[in-house]
Amino acid sequence: MELNERADIDTSQIEDGRGSGGGGGIGGLPIGGGGLAGIVVTLIVALVGGYFGISGLSGPGGESTGQPLTQCSDDAQKLQVLECRNGLYVTSIQNYWAKQFPESFGEQYQPARTHLFSGNVRTACGAADSGVGPFYCPADSKVYIDLTFYQVLAKQLGAPGEFAQPYVLAHEYGHHVQNVLGTEAEMRRRQERDPGSANQESVKLELQADCYAGAWAHSAANTTDKDGDKIFTSLTDADIQEGIQTAGQIGDDALQGRGGGEVNPEQFTHGTSEQRQKWFRVGWESGDPTRCDTFKAGAVS
Ligand SMILES: [Zn+2]
């Protein structure tokens, strides 16, 4: 996988809300032994018990604000910087949906910003800390990520491949697509009517987000910036396999097993590794988001 250094990052879609220091890039991100272990424990609990963090949010919410990514304007250096590469992934994902969304769903796509934070953040969905992992907040239509999550993904969850990063972002933007379409709101109403179905409904929502991520992956190599420059100069099937591998590493069964406890399917909220890989593949192989109908009767058993 290689990114095109001439491609422009749409920095208007990224808010940098990390500490007063702001940037720092790869070298500036903390890699603490004990601290990282602490993050992993909470993350796994949240991934298993919550909805990529959403239902795990608590405390007062608020409006998240941040600065534009000014450090991403230098063509020569920007792709060395983690947040800039992620900014370019976001550009690719959103430019894909700007084109695909009307074709698939007959409506305009509404862009959603990604908010970078470190430690903790206030969102319209409540307060969150890094332990919940990346998440999407439907109430303010933003993707939230502490980029140190990628170290957890690589070192603790066994998904070190570079494509793991755009996969995670594409999954979160899949939740945004669900928000724009009203899929997420409908699901919540069904969960309220029938609380016993809540986890199964959550699994379907998560698998659909994986499928949407796969649909983006299908077309990612063709995505362009605002000037028409390709965003990826190289993206192979082997790269995509890293995305599938990531999906396999964060299935509920894999996470529960790694957490040391017994694997209990009734507590699944995201789907098994096999289901997550399967639905990513449905999107990737078809390139057709309308095929991602995990809510259809019998689609997910
Ligand atoms: Zn999710």
Side-chain angles (χ1 to χ4, degrees):
M1 177 177 112
E2 265 172 67
L3 290 164
N4 180 3
E5 61 181 32
R6 283 180 308 143
D8 290 322
I9 300 163
D10 185 354
T11 53
S12 73
Q13 293 300 301
I14 312 289
E15 295 174 351
D16 191 352
R18 298 169 298 172
S20 51
I26 305 162
L29 293 169
I31 309 176
L36 197 59
I39 289 173
V40 172
V41 171
T42 7
L43 168 76
I44 288 172
V45 170
L47 278 174
V48 172
Y51 153 50
F52 238 62
I54 294 278
S55 57
L57 303 194
S58 61
E63 193 187 345
S64 53
T65 53
Q67 307 294 320
L69 281 182
T70 47
Q71 65 270 40
C72 295
S73 53
D74 180 344
D75 280 359
Q77 294 299 319
K78 70 183 178 196
L79 294 182
Q80 308 300 317
V81 181
L82 179 64
E83 54 267 40
C84 303
R85 285 206 310 279
N86 274 263
L88 199 48
Y89 299 146
V90 169
T91 303
S92 168
I93 294 161
Q94 295 216 94
N95 288 3
Y96 163 73
W97 282 114
K99 192 160 161 281
Q100 189 64 45
F101 199 95
E103 278 178 32
S104 292
F105 305 117
E107 293 174 40
Q108 287 301 306
Y109 175 71
Q110 297 157 27
R113 289 186 180 152
T114 285
H115 182 94
L116 308 179
F117 72 99
S118 57
N120 45 61
V121 66
R122 280 153 69 98
T123 80
C125 295
D129 66 38
S130 300
V132 301
F135 63 96
Y136 173 75
C137 170
D140 58 23
S141 298
K142 287 183 193 174
V143 170
Y144 289 88
I145 185 166
D146 182 331
L147 296 173
T148 59
F149 172 73
Y150 293 137
Q151 294 164 4
V152 177
L153 202 53
K155 295 190 169 79
Q156 309 293 328
L157 301 180
E162 202 179 358
F163 195 77
Q165 298 185 13
Y167 159 73
V168 165
L169 291 168
H171 172 97
E172 297 308 334
Y173 275 93
H175 287 312
H176 175 61
V177 168
Q178 292 167 328
N179 190 23
V180 175
L181 289 173
T183 316
E184 193 264 351
E186 283 169 33
M187 183 212 71
R188 286 196 179 275
R189 283 194 290 274
R190 283 196 301 273
Q191 285 180 324
E192 278 158 25
R193 278 200 305 269
D194 178 11
S197 74
N199 283 358
Q200 183 66 357
E201 290 285 343
S202 167
V203 166
K204 292 174 183 175
L205 194 77
E206 294 302 328
L207 294 176
Q208 186 174 59
D210 282 334
C211 185
Y212 287 156
W216 163 77
H218 177 94
S219 298
N222 296 323
T223 56
T224 56
D225 69 3
K226 64 177 179 349
D227 304 320
D229 283 323
K230 282 206 167 187
I231 288 174
F232 292 90
T233 49
S234 156
L235 186 63
T236 65
D237 281 4
D239 296 318
I240 310 270
Q241 291 297 337
E242 290 181 354
I244 294 175
Q245 186 203 343
T246 307
Q249 296 292 345
I250 57 177
D252 285 327
D253 49 345
L255 290 175
Q256 283 189 1
R258 208 176 283 116
E262 276 182 40
V263 174
N264 180 357
E266 285 180 6
Q267 289 174 2
F268 287 178
T269 53
H270 284 68
T272 63
S273 296
E274 192 187 331
Q275 285 175 318
R276 298 197 72 164
Q277 293 183 322
K278 179 198 154 178
W279 283 98
F280 181 91
R281 270 206 195 89
V282 168
W284 176 42
E285 287 169 2
S286 68
D288 178 0
T290 66
R291 297 279 294 275
C292 298
D293 192 2
T294 55
F295 290 95
K296 195 170 72 182
V300 174
S301 54

